Amino acid sequence: MSMEEVEEAREEGSHGSMFEGGVEVRVLVVDDSPVDRRVVEGLLKRSGAMFQVIAVDSGKRAMEVLGLTEGKEAEQPTVDDPKIDIILTDYCMPEMTGYDLLKAVKEQSSQKPIPVIIMSSENEPQRISRCRAIGAEDYLLKPLQTNDVLRLRDYVRPKALSPKTGTKRKIAIEMMAENSGSERRPCLAGLAVA
Amino acid sequence: MSLMALREQLNGLVNSMFLEGLLDDQFEQLQMLQDESSPGFIAELITLFCGDSERILAELTKLLDQAVVDYQKVDAFVHQLKGSSSSVGAQHVKLACVQFRQFCEEHNKEGLKGIYFFRCLRALNVVKHEYYLLRGKFDTMLQLEQRIQAYESKQQI
């Protein structure tokens, strides 16, 4: 595909074309760093119109968005009509860490709790293991890049996403990832380290 | 100065920042996120980074000025700055923070506390030096971008 065709496909995406089914994926980004929040938001929005981003600066605010308070479950059912489709949270935050938030989300009695992805600048096997042990879907190393954002699609519940396959837009997104020019750390999903 | 000359000056500045190691691949990634739907993305990010960094540097200065230094808090702030500098591709600032954290971790060595305190002070000065060097160049970058945008707006009228 030529660069002109990639640019055309990107323009198509940036003008808000939806995936088939017209459903956006609502991502809750939780990070106490304003810089990191903006970077992640930029990555999500740039990858196409499929992500609607809600960014908060603490675990406590995330709990409010999710309708969770300490010791209580969500008042609204999380399976039938979730406000949030996926949570992307930093690990290291003051007061309520990403781990605490992960635990609170997974402790909901809902059969299908919201997928939670942890972000961290530290590549610590024990930390990764702890998070996966209580249900984190993935653990991404910061700084996040385009490839990481594309992987989020894998964790979104099927009803929220009905992607077209083999479209110019999908190729454009993946071309951007390939052209990013940086090597990515290996995927840590499924890695259980003692 | 013509529009072309301004663009050349801006490109030259950014390229030199990459060559000097002030910026790394991560900044290049972020540049790719800026487009017509998000034209001020880089400027916004730089502004956020600078504001956040100066807040952290002020806190670190205060902490190291205390009679009894809370190295845990110092480390936490340096960790924050390391994270945000990594996220924007500010390579030299990031590396200075890595060095600083190493001194924070070593501060408790018996008989050497005084030495590590001064090393931490020196490390903070290195971080400040790297940050302000970068900020100067970011300021020039943003000024050039604003001039280019003003030029382009005039041309459209």
Side-chain angles (χ1 to χ4, degrees), chain B residues 1 8 18-19 29 48-49 57 60 97 112-113 117 128 136 138 153 157:
Chain B
M1 194 183 276
E8 276 176 9
F18 279 113
L19 282 171
Q29 292 272 319
L48 277 173
F49 170 69
L57 290 173
L60 285 169
C97 289
L112 293 173
K113 285 185 185 176
F117 168 72
K128 282 180 176 176
F138 272 158
S153 302
I157 295 169

PDB file of all heavy atoms in Angstrom, chain B residues 1 8 18-19 29 48-49 57 60 97 112-113 117 128 136 138 153 157:
ATOM      1  N   MET B   1      10.988  36.475   7.896  1.00  0.00           N
ATOM      2  CA  MET B   1      11.463  35.144   7.485  1.00  0.00           C
ATOM      3  C   MET B   1      10.335  34.417   6.753  1.00  0.00           C
ATOM      4  O   MET B   1       9.194  34.481   7.167  1.00  0.00           O
ATOM      5  CB  MET B   1      11.863  34.356   8.740  1.00  0.00           C
ATOM      6  CG  MET B   1      12.675  33.106   8.446  1.00  0.00           C
ATOM      7  SD  MET B   1      13.062  32.153   9.924  1.00  0.00           S
ATOM      8  CE  MET B   1      14.498  32.978  10.515  1.00  0.00           C
ATOM      9  N   GLU B   8      12.163  25.061   7.877  1.00  0.00           N
ATOM     10  CA  GLU B   8      13.527  24.496   7.869  1.00  0.00           C
ATOM     11  C   GLU B   8      14.173  24.665   9.242  1.00  0.00           C
ATOM     12  O   GLU B   8      14.858  23.779   9.739  1.00  0.00           O
ATOM     13  CB  GLU B   8      14.390  25.193   6.813  1.00  0.00           C
ATOM     14  CG  GLU B   8      14.214  24.588   5.425  1.00  0.00           C
ATOM     15  CD  GLU B   8      15.013  25.361   4.373  1.00  0.00           C
ATOM     16  OE1 GLU B   8      15.817  26.230   4.735  1.00  0.00           O
ATOM     17  OE2 GLU B   8      14.784  25.069   3.176  1.00  0.00           O
ATOM     18  N   PHE B  18      17.235  15.318  18.371  1.00  0.00           N
ATOM     19  CA  PHE B  18      17.352  13.855  18.262  1.00  0.00           C
ATOM     20  C   PHE B  18      18.828  13.456  18.228  1.00  0.00           C
ATOM     21  O   PHE B  18      19.258  12.520  18.914  1.00  0.00           O
ATOM     22  CB  PHE B  18      16.658  13.334  16.997  1.00  0.00           C
ATOM     23  CG  PHE B  18      15.169  13.184  17.131  1.00  0.00           C
ATOM     24  CD1 PHE B  18      14.305  13.990  16.419  1.00  0.00           C
ATOM     25  CD2 PHE B  18      14.634  12.217  17.967  1.00  0.00           C
ATOM     26  CE1 PHE B  18      12.924  13.847  16.540  1.00  0.00           C
ATOM     27  CE2 PHE B  18      13.251  12.070  18.099  1.00  0.00           C
ATOM     28  CZ  PHE B  18      12.394  12.901  17.380  1.00  0.00           C
ATOM     29  N   LEU B  19      19.610  14.178  17.453  1.00  0.00           N
ATOM     30  CA  LEU B  19      21.029  13.828  17.302  1.00  0.00           C
ATOM     31  C   LEU B  19      21.782  13.976  18.621  1.00  0.00           C
ATOM     32  O   LEU B  19      22.654  13.165  18.937  1.00  0.00           O
ATOM     33  CB  LEU B  19      21.683  14.735  16.256  1.00  0.00           C
ATOM     34  CG  LEU B  19      21.373  14.364  14.801  1.00  0.00           C
ATOM     35  CD1 LEU B  19      21.890  15.454  13.860  1.00  0.00           C
ATOM     36  CD2 LEU B  19      21.998  13.018  14.425  1.00  0.00           C
ATOM     37  N   GLN B  29       7.298   8.836  17.899  1.00  0.00           N
ATOM     38  CA  GLN B  29       5.992   8.180  17.945  1.00  0.00           C
ATOM     39  C   GLN B  29       4.891   9.207  18.189  1.00  0.00           C
ATOM     40  O   GLN B  29       3.816   9.155  17.572  1.00  0.00           O
ATOM     41  CB  GLN B  29       5.947   7.177  19.114  1.00  0.00           C
ATOM     42  CG  GLN B  29       6.827   5.972  18.985  1.00  0.00           C
ATOM     43  CD  GLN B  29       6.138   4.841  18.256  1.00  0.00           C
ATOM     44  OE1 GLN B  29       4.960   4.570  18.471  1.00  0.00           O
ATOM     45  NE2 GLN B  29       6.854   4.185  17.375  1.00  0.00           N
ATOM     46  N   LEU B  48       2.119  20.282  29.104  1.00  0.00           N
ATOM     47  CA  LEU B  48       1.789  19.433  30.267  1.00  0.00           C
ATOM     48  C   LEU B  48       3.070  18.926  30.927  1.00  0.00           C
ATOM     49  O   LEU B  48       3.208  18.945  32.155  1.00  0.00           O
ATOM     50  CB  LEU B  48       0.957  18.219  29.824  1.00  0.00           C
ATOM     51  CG  LEU B  48      -0.541  18.407  29.659  1.00  0.00           C
ATOM     52  CD1 LEU B  48      -1.168  17.154  29.061  1.00  0.00           C
ATOM     53  CD2 LEU B  48      -1.211  18.746  30.991  1.00  0.00           C
ATOM     54  N   PHE B  49       3.998  18.464  30.104  1.00  0.00           N
ATOM     55  CA  PHE B  49       5.249  17.910  30.620  1.00  0.00           C
ATOM     56  C   PHE B  49       6.033  18.962  31.400  1.00  0.00           C
ATOM     57  O   PHE B  49       6.525  18.702  32.493  1.00  0.00           O
ATOM     58  CB  PHE B  49       6.089  17.358  29.463  1.00  0.00           C
ATOM     59  CG  PHE B  49       7.493  16.973  29.861  1.00  0.00           C
ATOM     60  CD1 PHE B  49       7.717  15.880  30.677  1.00  0.00           C
ATOM     61  CD2 PHE B  49       8.573  17.715  29.432  1.00  0.00           C
ATOM     62  CE1 PHE B  49       9.008  15.531  31.070  1.00  0.00           C
ATOM     63  CE2 PHE B  49       9.863  17.373  29.802  1.00  0.00           C
ATOM     64  CZ  PHE B  49      10.085  16.285  30.624  1.00  0.00           C
ATOM     65  N   LEU B  57      10.130  19.166  40.358  1.00  0.00           N
ATOM     66  CA  LEU B  57      11.454  19.678  40.723  1.00  0.00           C
ATOM     67  C   LEU B  57      11.368  20.580  41.949  1.00  0.00           C
ATOM     68  O   LEU B  57      12.254  20.553  42.815  1.00  0.00           O
ATOM     69  CB  LEU B  57      12.080  20.424  39.542  1.00  0.00           C
ATOM     70  CG  LEU B  57      12.503  19.543  38.363  1.00  0.00           C
ATOM     71  CD1 LEU B  57      12.942  20.385  37.177  1.00  0.00           C
ATOM     72  CD2 LEU B  57      13.638  18.589  38.764  1.00  0.00           C
ATOM     73  N   LEU B  60      11.042  18.307  44.934  1.00  0.00           N
ATOM     74  CA  LEU B  60      12.310  17.641  45.248  1.00  0.00           C
ATOM     75  C   LEU B  60      13.266  18.606  45.947  1.00  0.00           C
ATOM     76  O   LEU B  60      13.965  18.226  46.887  1.00  0.00           O
ATOM     77  CB  LEU B  60      12.947  17.108  43.955  1.00  0.00           C
ATOM     78  CG  LEU B  60      12.293  15.853  43.378  1.00  0.00           C
ATOM     79  CD1 LEU B  60      12.811  15.563  41.981  1.00  0.00           C
ATOM     80  CD2 LEU B  60      12.533  14.645  44.273  1.00  0.00           C
ATOM     81  N   CYS B  97      17.162  10.890  35.788  1.00  0.00           N
ATOM     82  CA  CYS B  97      16.261  10.405  36.848  1.00  0.00           C
ATOM     83  C   CYS B  97      16.631   8.982  37.267  1.00  0.00           C
ATOM     84  O   CYS B  97      16.554   8.639  38.456  1.00  0.00           O
ATOM     85  CB  CYS B  97      14.811  10.427  36.377  1.00  0.00           C
ATOM     86  SG  CYS B  97      14.115  12.080  36.217  1.00  0.00           S
ATOM     87  N   LEU B 112      27.748   6.038  55.299  1.00  0.00           N
ATOM     88  CA  LEU B 112      27.928   6.774  54.056  1.00  0.00           C
ATOM     89  C   LEU B 112      26.744   7.689  53.749  1.00  0.00           C
ATOM     90  O   LEU B 112      26.623   8.184  52.642  1.00  0.00           O
ATOM     91  CB  LEU B 112      28.105   5.786  52.893  1.00  0.00           C
ATOM     92  CG  LEU B 112      29.386   4.964  52.919  1.00  0.00           C
ATOM     93  CD1 LEU B 112      29.367   3.905  51.829  1.00  0.00           C
ATOM     94  CD2 LEU B 112      30.610   5.843  52.746  1.00  0.00           C
ATOM     95  N   LYS B 113      25.903   7.909  54.785  1.00  0.00           N
ATOM     96  CA  LYS B 113      24.676   8.676  54.543  1.00  0.00           C
ATOM     97  C   LYS B 113      24.986  10.074  54.017  1.00  0.00           C
ATOM     98  O   LYS B 113      24.318  10.565  53.111  1.00  0.00           O
ATOM     99  CB  LYS B 113      23.863   8.779  55.833  1.00  0.00           C
ATOM    100  CG  LYS B 113      23.161   7.497  56.175  1.00  0.00           C
ATOM    101  CD  LYS B 113      22.264   7.634  57.395  1.00  0.00           C
ATOM    102  CE  LYS B 113      21.690   6.280  57.734  1.00  0.00           C
ATOM    103  NZ  LYS B 113      20.884   6.290  58.945  1.00  0.00           N
ATOM    104  N   PHE B 117      23.745  11.737  50.514  1.00  0.00           N
ATOM    105  CA  PHE B 117      22.911  12.940  50.477  1.00  0.00           C
ATOM    106  C   PHE B 117      23.468  13.897  49.429  1.00  0.00           C
ATOM    107  O   PHE B 117      22.721  14.438  48.603  1.00  0.00           O
ATOM    108  CB  PHE B 117      22.879  13.620  51.856  1.00  0.00           C
ATOM    109  CG  PHE B 117      22.280  14.997  51.809  1.00  0.00           C
ATOM    110  CD1 PHE B 117      20.916  15.166  51.606  1.00  0.00           C
ATOM    111  CD2 PHE B 117      23.077  16.126  51.938  1.00  0.00           C
ATOM    112  CE1 PHE B 117      20.354  16.428  51.545  1.00  0.00           C
ATOM    113  CE2 PHE B 117      22.517  17.398  51.881  1.00  0.00           C
ATOM    114  CZ  PHE B 117      21.155  17.554  51.685  1.00  0.00           C
ATOM    115  N   LYS B 128      17.887  18.868  36.912  1.00  0.00           N
ATOM    116  CA  LYS B 128      17.441  20.241  36.623  1.00  0.00           C
ATOM    117  C   LYS B 128      18.144  20.776  35.382  1.00  0.00           C
ATOM    118  O   LYS B 128      17.521  21.396  34.513  1.00  0.00           O
ATOM    119  CB  LYS B 128      17.754  21.163  37.811  1.00  0.00           C
ATOM    120  CG  LYS B 128      16.791  21.034  38.970  1.00  0.00           C
ATOM    121  CD  LYS B 128      17.188  21.978  40.105  1.00  0.00           C
ATOM    122  CE  LYS B 128      16.175  21.936  41.227  1.00  0.00           C
ATOM    123  NZ  LYS B 128      16.581  22.756  42.381  1.00  0.00           N
ATOM    124  N   GLY B 136      14.329  24.894  27.197  1.00  0.00           N
ATOM    125  CA  GLY B 136      14.718  26.006  26.330  1.00  0.00           C
ATOM    126  C   GLY B 136      14.458  25.669  24.868  1.00  0.00           C
ATOM    127  O   GLY B 136      13.928  26.480  24.095  1.00  0.00           O
ATOM    128  N   PHE B 138      12.408  23.296  23.753  1.00  0.00           N
ATOM    129  CA  PHE B 138      10.966  23.137  23.561  1.00  0.00           C
ATOM    130  C   PHE B 138      10.308  24.501  23.362  1.00  0.00           C
ATOM    131  O   PHE B 138       9.422  24.663  22.522  1.00  0.00           O
ATOM    132  CB  PHE B 138      10.332  22.447  24.774  1.00  0.00           C
ATOM    133  CG  PHE B 138      10.323  20.942  24.711  1.00  0.00           C
ATOM    134  CD1 PHE B 138      10.212  20.185  25.878  1.00  0.00           C
ATOM    135  CD2 PHE B 138      10.402  20.261  23.508  1.00  0.00           C
ATOM    136  CE1 PHE B 138      10.194  18.791  25.842  1.00  0.00           C
ATOM    137  CE2 PHE B 138      10.384  18.863  23.449  1.00  0.00           C
ATOM    138  CZ  PHE B 138      10.286  18.137  24.631  1.00  0.00           C
ATOM    139  N   SER B 153      -2.237  30.569   8.557  1.00  0.00           N
ATOM    140  CA  SER B 153      -3.580  31.148   8.701  1.00  0.00           C
ATOM    141  C   SER B 153      -3.724  32.371   7.802  1.00  0.00           C
ATOM    142  O   SER B 153      -4.751  32.557   7.160  1.00  0.00           O
ATOM    143  CB  SER B 153      -3.832  31.583  10.141  1.00  0.00           C
ATOM    144  OG  SER B 153      -3.681  30.501  10.997  1.00  0.00           O
ATOM    145  N   ILE B 157      -6.405  33.210   4.397  1.00  0.00           N
ATOM    146  CA  ILE B 157      -7.400  34.309   4.335  1.00  0.00           C
ATOM    147  C   ILE B 157      -7.456  34.902   2.914  1.00  0.00           C
ATOM    148  O   ILE B 157      -6.460  35.180   2.318  1.00  0.00           O
ATOM    149  CB  ILE B 157      -7.066  35.388   5.387  1.00  0.00           C
ATOM    150  CG1 ILE B 157      -7.217  34.797   6.800  1.00  0.00           C
ATOM    151  CG2 ILE B 157      -7.975  36.599   5.229  1.00  0.00           C
ATOM    152  CD1 ILE B 157      -6.656  35.688   7.902  1.00  0.00           C
TER     153      ILE B 157
END
